Amino acid sequence: MKRYGKTEHLWERICAEETVEKAMRQSLIKHKYPGMKTADYNAAQKYMIAHWDECKQNVLRTLTSETYVFHKLHSFKVYEPKERVIHCPQQFPDKIIMICVYIVLRDYFYTKFVRNTYNCIKGRGIHDAKAAIERIMRKYYNWYYVQTDIQKFYPTLRHDIIKADLRKVFKDVKVLRLLDAIVDIYHEGVDEEGNEIGIAIGINLSQLMAILVNMPVLREINERWHYPCVNFTDDCFTAVPNKAAAHEFLNWYIERSQQRGMKVKANARIAPMTEPLRMIGFEFHVTADGEQYTLLSKPIKLRMKRRVRQLAKRNVTDEEWKQQMASYYGWCKHARCTNLMQKTYGDRYKLFEDMRTLQEVKANIQGPFGLPKSRRESVVSLLGVDICFYDVTMTNVQKIDPVTHEETYEERCAIKFRHAENNEPIGDEAYFVTGSESLRSRAERYKDQMPFIGKVVKKSGRNTQYYVIE
């Protein structure tokens, strides 16, 4: 198994000034969604903003000299609806250092995760897990399933197993010392054998470490048992051919989990696939004929109805009601809940008729020249096609790094045009964006002559290809 270390320059990247700068900015983000209200900054955050350069240099010094000493975590309770105790690091410098580690190492953790594990992984959230469960139930509708859950997952994870697993992923000594310090910052107590157990839920690296501990079990399910499986952190759904195989698999799963320091809850369930499966907030059904449908889980339905009654007592406006119920509407839209919404929301159900999907919102975001992004066309599709050039400008294009998944912006050239036929413009205005320097220079050179009809063509030079306007 490949391990990462000096070749990838992990320690240098963690200690880099741009990483610390990015971590400091991320630590101040309250909500990542535009239009949402942001909470007020606390005293530590205000101090960091006022002494930005000084704080950044302190973190850089602490990392490069390895003099970091993590302070005691502060805790608070959340109800979702189950009560959980969240343990968070202090804003400066503990949280900044942990975010630096997370930014650099996150993708190396991802390389060790099998595809059928979800949650805490970019692109593999609730909806991706829901789609996977639905596919399995449709395909294996005459099988059985085994549903398991780990008892007190985060508070019972053993420190020695976590550290041993980290050494199977990383080999840089400095990186491992820092990761060990993050693991040791919190412990719930000791188990029967005297091993320290428990990791803090409020640290972003804890989620990746927890999945890493569970990974050998999931890998054996895929490679030894070859059963379709969906794992959502500590919840596991596995399809098995028959009841006897289900009992055999469950006994193995309990024993293997105990070897990894995890205890399976006593409510593990074996049932035919036609029995409802309640998991990740949904209730999955499949008929004896293989027809699959998904409903909302009972706890979420009850909370939704309770919220509707509370808002009715307050006699809130339609706008506030829509804002308060938007999250529940999102849950319902991904399940077969039209009748439930109409019955629960009453006349206010019509408020969501104009609700647009995220794809529709993105398509109507204005791009260059005030045109919606849905009017953007590819320059490749326009090669050799008659178009009428109208205008040229520079624009910033968002890019996602395929390795680090970081968002960056690059300056590109945008050209407004309309399609042409028989030397006459036809259709609506559109635009294309290009990074070609030759096409940009020619478009800017001909800007005073616009509008004119021409073509974008690709030409070959010495060891290169470039675009021109003819």
Side-chain angles (χ1 to χ4, degrees):
M1 182 180 289
K2 179 177 174 58
R3 296 195 300 156
Y4 304 100
K6 293 185 178 180
T7 307
E8 291 75 23
H9 306 288
L10 298 182
W11 183 250
E12 292 78 5
R13 287 163 57 191
I14 290 173
C15 300
E17 184 175 349
E18 57 268 22
T19 305
V20 176
E21 179 88 20
K22 184 175 181 181
M24 292 173 67
R25 295 190 184 281
Q26 284 191 11
S27 70
L28 296 174
I29 296 176
K30 299 296 182 180
H31 299 291
K32 295 184 179 180
Y33 305 99
M36 293 183 67
K37 293 181 179 179
T38 57
D40 294 332
Y41 292 129
N42 57 37
Q45 291 170 331
K46 290 178 180 177
Y47 177 85
M48 192 178 73
I49 294 171
H51 305 82
W52 189 267
D53 291 333
E54 179 186 345
C55 291
K56 181 169 64 176
Q57 293 304 319
N58 286 340
V59 174
L60 287 170
R61 256 192 321 272
T62 302
L63 281 172
T64 53
S65 61
E66 293 189 78
T67 55
Y68 45 81
V69 177
F70 294 117
H71 302 82
K72 184 179 179 180
L73 303 175
H74 67 272
S75 60
F76 59 92
K77 292 182 180 180
V78 297
Y79 303 88
E80 46 178 46
K82 184 167 62 175
E83 179 183 309
R84 295 183 188 274
V85 180
I86 309 298
H87 299 275
C88 292
Q90 68 175 30
Q91 173 69 25
F92 178 84
D94 297 3
K95 188 176 181 180
I96 309 302
I97 294 174
M98 293 177 189
I99 295 177
C100 288
V101 178
Y102 180 79
I103 290 172
V104 176
L105 302 187
R106 175 187 57 191
D107 294 292
Y108 297 100
F109 276 96
Y110 289 174
T111 61
K112 305 302 179 183
F113 297 163
V114 294
R115 180 59 184 88
N116 53 340
T117 185
Y118 301 85
N119 196 19
C120 315
I121 304 172
K122 196 164 187 177
R124 298 193 221 166
I126 287 180
H127 296 310
D128 198 28
K130 170 179 172 288
I133 293 173
E134 291 172 341
R135 285 195 301 269
I136 292 172
M137 295 188 77
R138 281 195 298 267
K139 186 174 181 179
Y140 303 99
Y141 62 91
N142 55 350
W143 281 26
Y144 278 71
Y145 69 80
V146 178
Q147 184 181 9
T148 57
D149 189 8
I150 303 298
Q151 182 175 342
K152 295 183 178 180
F153 186 44
Y154 287 92
T156 59
L157 291 174
R158 286 171 46 179
H159 285 198
D160 59 332
I161 294 179
I162 296 172
K163 293 177 182 179
D165 289 341
L166 289 172
R167 278 152 179 77
K168 295 177 182 178
V169 183
F170 307 105
K171 58 184 178 182
D172 190 304
V173 177
K174 294 182 178 180
V175 173
L176 289 171
R177 278 201 293 263
L178 179 52
L179 289 173
D180 288 348
I182 294 174
V183 173
D184 292 334
I185 194 175
Y186 172 82
H187 72 275
E188 190 79 14
V190 295
D191 61 7
E192 298 174 353
E193 300 175 1
N195 300 305
E196 285 194 349
I197 58 173
I199 56 176
I201 298 179
I203 298 175
N204 45 18
L205 277 167
S206 297
Q207 300 170 331
L208 301 179
M209 293 176 182
I211 297 176
L212 188 65
V213 171
N214 201 20
M215 204 47 51
V217 182
L218 300 177
R219 207 174 287 278
E220 284 190 46
I221 295 175
N222 294 340
E223 298 174 0
R224 173 186 168 183
W225 295 89
H226 303 287
Y227 289 156
C229 171
V230 172
N231 180 264
F232 199 82
T233 309
D234 57 339
D235 296 326
C236 189
F237 159 77
T238 309
V240 293
N242 51 61
K243 196 171 185 178
H247 284 285
E248 182 185 1
F249 171 80
L250 179 59
N251 292 334
W252 169 86
Y253 185 85
I254 293 173
E255 182 181 354
R256 188 70 179 93
S257 297
Q258 286 177 344
Q259 294 173 3
R260 300 292 297 167
M262 300 176 291
K263 184 178 180 181
V264 179
K265 286 184 179 179
N267 63 353
R269 186 179 184 211
I270 295 176
M273 200 68 76
T274 50
E275 288 291 319
L277 168 70
R278 296 171 184 87
M279 189 172 172
I280 60 173
F282 294 100
E283 189 175 283
F284 300 90
H285 295 258
V286 64
T287 65
D289 300 327
E291 180 185 354
Q292 197 280 325
Y293 61 94
T294 303
L295 303 177
L296 207 57
S297 68
K298 187 175 180 180
I300 294 180
K301 285 192 291 187
L302 294 176
R303 292 205 300 272
M304 180 177 70
K305 292 178 179 179
R306 190 181 305 117
R307 177 62 64 84
V308 169
R309 292 194 297 269
Q310 291 171 350
L311 295 176
K313 287 182 180 179
R314 290 169 48 196
N315 196 24
V316 299
T317 63
D318 287 349
E319 188 63 31
E320 184 179 352
W321 191 93
K322 184 177 178 181
Q323 185 179 7
Q324 292 287 331
M325 296 301 300
S327 60
Y328 290 104
Y329 175 76
W331 278 100
C332 293
K333 284 295 291 183
H334 290 88
R336 190 185 288 185
C337 295
T338 303
N339 293 335
L340 173 66
M341 287 191 293
Q342 291 176 347
K343 182 178 178 180
T344 305
Y345 297 168
D347 294 338
R348 280 177 161 168
Y349 173 71
K350 297 179 181 179
L351 296 175
F352 292 107
E353 289 181 349
D354 60 343
M355 181 73 76
R356 295 179 296 172
T357 64
L358 182 61
Q359 289 78 9
E360 292 172 339
V361 172
K362 288 182 176 180
N364 287 288
I365 294 176
Q366 283 195 350
F369 313 107
L371 297 173
K373 288 192 174 182
S374 56
R375 298 278 184 86
R376 177 176 173 176
E377 295 190 21
S378 169
V379 65
V380 177
S381 66
L382 299 173
L383 292 178
V385 178
D386 287 334
I387 58 176
C388 182
F389 293 83
Y390 278 92
D391 198 2
V392 58
T393 187
M394 299 304 296
T395 184
N396 290 323
V397 178
Q398 185 183 23
K399 293 289 182 182
I400 306 295
D401 191 292
V403 178
T404 63
H405 301 289
E406 295 180 358
E407 297 179 359
T408 59
Y409 289 88
E410 296 181 2
E411 192 176 48
R412 296 293 179 89
C413 174
I415 298 177
K416 182 168 69 171
F417 71 94
R418 287 171 64 190
H419 287 276
E421 187 176 328
N422 299 326
N423 290 326
E424 290 293 333
I426 59 172
D428 297 327
E429 291 182 341
Y431 71 95
F432 65 87
V433 178
T434 177
S436 170
E437 289 295 332
S438 59
L439 191 56
R440 169 188 171 181
S441 61
R442 297 211 177 201
E444 290 178 340
R445 189 190 312 166
Y446 299 147
K447 185 173 182 178
D448 294 338
Q449 304 175 28
M450 293 180 181
F452 64 85
I453 294 177
K455 297 178 181 178
V456 177
V457 297
K458 182 187 289 187
K459 292 196 173 183
S460 300
R462 181 178 297 177
N463 300 325
T464 186
Q465 290 184 332
Y466 57 94
Y467 294 121
V468 297
I469 298 175
E470 290 186 347

